[in-house]
Every structure is written in structure tokens, then in C-alpha cells.
Amino acid sequence: MKHSADMRENNQLANVSDEIPRVNILGVGVTPVNLAQTVGILEKWQAEGRRKYVLCTSVHGIVEAQKDPEIRSALNRSGLTTEDGMPLVWWCRRGGYPNAGRVYGPDLLLAMCARAPQTGHRHYFYGSSPHVVQAMVSRLVARFPGLTIAGYRSPPFRPLTPEEGAADIQAINDARPDYVWVGLGMPKQDKWIVRHVGKIEAAALLGVGAAFDFAAGTKPQAPLWMQRSGLEWVFRLMTEPRRLAHRYLVYNSIFVVRAFQQLAGWKSYAQDW
């Protein structure tokens, strides 16, 4: 029954215009979609020969957008800016979109790979370390028989030279992917995607953050009950305190204060999309 409902939802979405609604969260236009809808949209883009991008964003991305106009512009001009965290899901539902759901980068990656044997779509992976990306590809191929890996590349952590950047674009295009998954971390991946959309011949470039590590099994994921209750950040903070303490303790606090101001009507944010 759930599968049939998801298919009906995808079919309905395929018949609507490209004007996907957005919810204003601190000046960022978040698209109030769920996982099934997102899969349907991505497959629609591929069928129509589109060249778009998707950013799975969380509270971290919303707060980054407050201080970095380039990030705000990237989030507001995407094909989809999905709710990677539960606070954004709750906000979208409160804004009149009861079907909004968490479109978590790791879940979206697995959902699209699960569809690949039926669709024949080709997937390319760009980012992370050579060890992680190779482990991820091996696990995905074993988990989803028939999955087509167009290619993968782990770029150096330093800035690329123009020649290296051009070579990467050419290599990706030569692989003829339908979807390019980018795991460079936020905000680096968001900026990379915006600079390469249109240059890379794929239906979508998708920024999925730590999805490569989770798919590779090199980092643990929070239990489902923590993910669904909005407590995943606590789990990740416990597993990587040095790297994530500033992000979660400082950024979450900033978000809570500004969210309260907006929801209370004390501060407004212009719609820049």
C-alpha cells in the first residue's frame, strides 16, 4: 500500500510545473518535499534532459547562508534544497506542507541506487578520500546488483588548478553519468556544484555531505529513533566531538535564536528565489 501511494505521489508530481514551492527559513528557500517525491523529480529531470542540482541541507547550511552570500545563492537557486535535518522538516510542515519529509543525503543516495537496476541510470561519485570512495563503490555494487557505476574520483583536498578542474569535468562527461554525487562536505561541495552545473552533462549534481562515509561503512550512523526525533546531531557530536563541536553547539544555538525571531514575527527575511 505504501509503495502504491509513493508511486501515485511521484506520478502526480511529474504532471506539475517546475515551480516547486519553497518555505522561507531564515532567508533560505527550502523545498518541502519528501524522499519519494525527490526520487520522482530526479528521474523526471533525467527523462527531460535537464541539467540541475540538489543540495541536501541542514541547520548547518541554513546558518552558513547567513554569513556567506554565495552559499545563500546556491541554496536558493537549486533545483531542490531538501530538508536534511528534522528541524527543517518540522518547519515545512508547520508552513502548510504536511507531506514534507526528511530527504537525508545518505537515504537519497541509497534510494536512487536501489532504482538503478530498473532505470539503467548511471552514477558517478566525486569526493572524499580514495579509501572511502572505493569502499563505498564496492559496498553499493554488492548491495544493488545491476547498479551501473559510471566512475568515481577522489580529488586532492587542496584547491585544484584550472587544468586539473578542466580534466575532472572532461573525465566525468566522458563517463556519461546521469547523476553525479558530490561528497566534499558543506560548504565546499555547494560551491563546487554551483560552479560546475551546466558544464557537467548530467541530469543532476547532488551534494550529499557525509553520505560517502556512511555508505562506505567508515563512520557509524545514528539509530533511526535518533534520526527521526531530531537527535542525530547528539550522536554525531559524541562520535566526532573535536570536529563537530563548533558546528553543533554554536550553529544550532544561532539557528534556534533566529528561528524563534522569525517565527515570532520579530524578524523577517526577504525571499531571494
Side-chain angles (χ1 to χ4, degrees):
M1 292 293 291
K2 183 180 185 298
H3 176 73
S4 298
D6 289 346
M7 292 303 296
R8 284 197 301 272
E9 195 166 35
N10 288 345
N11 291 336
Q12 289 169 1
L13 194 65
N15 294 325
V16 302
S17 72
D18 290 330
E19 291 300 317
I20 300 170
R22 289 181 181 258
V23 175
N24 188 337
I25 302 180
L26 308 190
V28 173
V30 175
T31 45
V33 291
N34 56 44
L35 184 60
Q37 287 175 321
T38 302
V39 170
I41 291 169
L42 289 172
E43 293 184 351
K44 181 172 182 281
W45 289 351
Q46 192 279 337
E48 295 175 348
R50 301 299 183 95
R51 299 288 182 265
K52 292 179 176 283
Y53 68 93
V54 175
L55 299 177
C56 299
T57 200
S58 62
V59 165
H60 177 210
I62 300 295
V63 176
E64 282 283 352
Q66 307 305 298
K67 60 182 181 178
D68 189 334
E70 188 176 356
I71 292 298
R72 184 170 62 252
S73 176
L75 293 169
N76 286 341
R77 283 158 179 73
S78 67
L80 291 172
T81 292
T82 69
E83 319 95 297
D84 191 272
M86 287 307 297
L88 307 190
V89 175
W90 296 328
W91 194 315
C92 288
R93 290 175 180 171
R94 182 184 183 278
Y97 299 94
N99 292 323
R102 190 181 188 198
V103 184
Y104 182 41
D107 290 346
L108 180 59
L109 173 61
L110 296 180
M112 290 298 290
C113 287
R115 293 278 299 147
Q118 288 76 46
T119 62
H121 294 158
R122 300 167 58 83
H123 296 262
Y124 194 102
F125 302 95
Y126 187 87
S128 197
S129 67
H131 166 70
V132 169
V133 76
Q134 289 167 13
M136 174 186 65
V137 166
S138 296
R139 287 168 63 105
L140 290 175
V141 169
R143 182 171 178 177
F144 303 109
L147 171 65
T148 301
I149 304 294
Y152 56 89
R153 158 94 167 126
S154 177
F157 288 104
R158 59 170 174 78
L160 301 184
T161 66
E163 293 76 17
E164 289 173 327
D168 279 358
I169 293 172
Q170 187 61 54
I172 295 171
N173 286 337
D174 287 346
R176 298 180 295 105
D178 294 296
Y179 305 104
V180 178
W181 302 88
V182 185
L184 297 173
M186 200 283 169
K188 183 178 179 180
Q189 69 189 13
D190 301 57
K191 295 182 179 182
W192 188 92
I193 285 171
V194 168
R195 293 166 186 166
H196 289 79
V197 67
K199 298 177 183 177
I200 292 176
E201 298 167 2
L205 310 182
L206 303 104
V208 291
F212 286 21
D213 291 292
F214 295 145
T218 55
K219 287 185 180 179
Q221 276 190 276
L224 281 177
W225 71 266
M226 295 188 80
Q227 295 183 35
R228 292 168 179 168
S229 61
L231 294 174
E232 183 180 12
W233 69 273
V234 176
F235 180 88
R236 295 200 64 195
L237 180 59
M238 292 170 61
T239 56
E240 298 183 81
R242 287 192 176 184
R243 188 174 76 86
L244 298 176
H246 183 271
R247 178 194 300 185
Y248 288 130
L249 299 180
V250 175
Y251 279 47
N252 285 10
S253 299
I254 293 172
F255 178 81
V256 168
V257 171
R258 296 192 179 186
F260 180 79
Q261 291 173 333
Q262 182 179 348
L263 292 171
W266 297 348
K267 185 174 178 60
S268 62
Y269 292 85
Q271 291 191 184
D272 182 26
W273 54 85

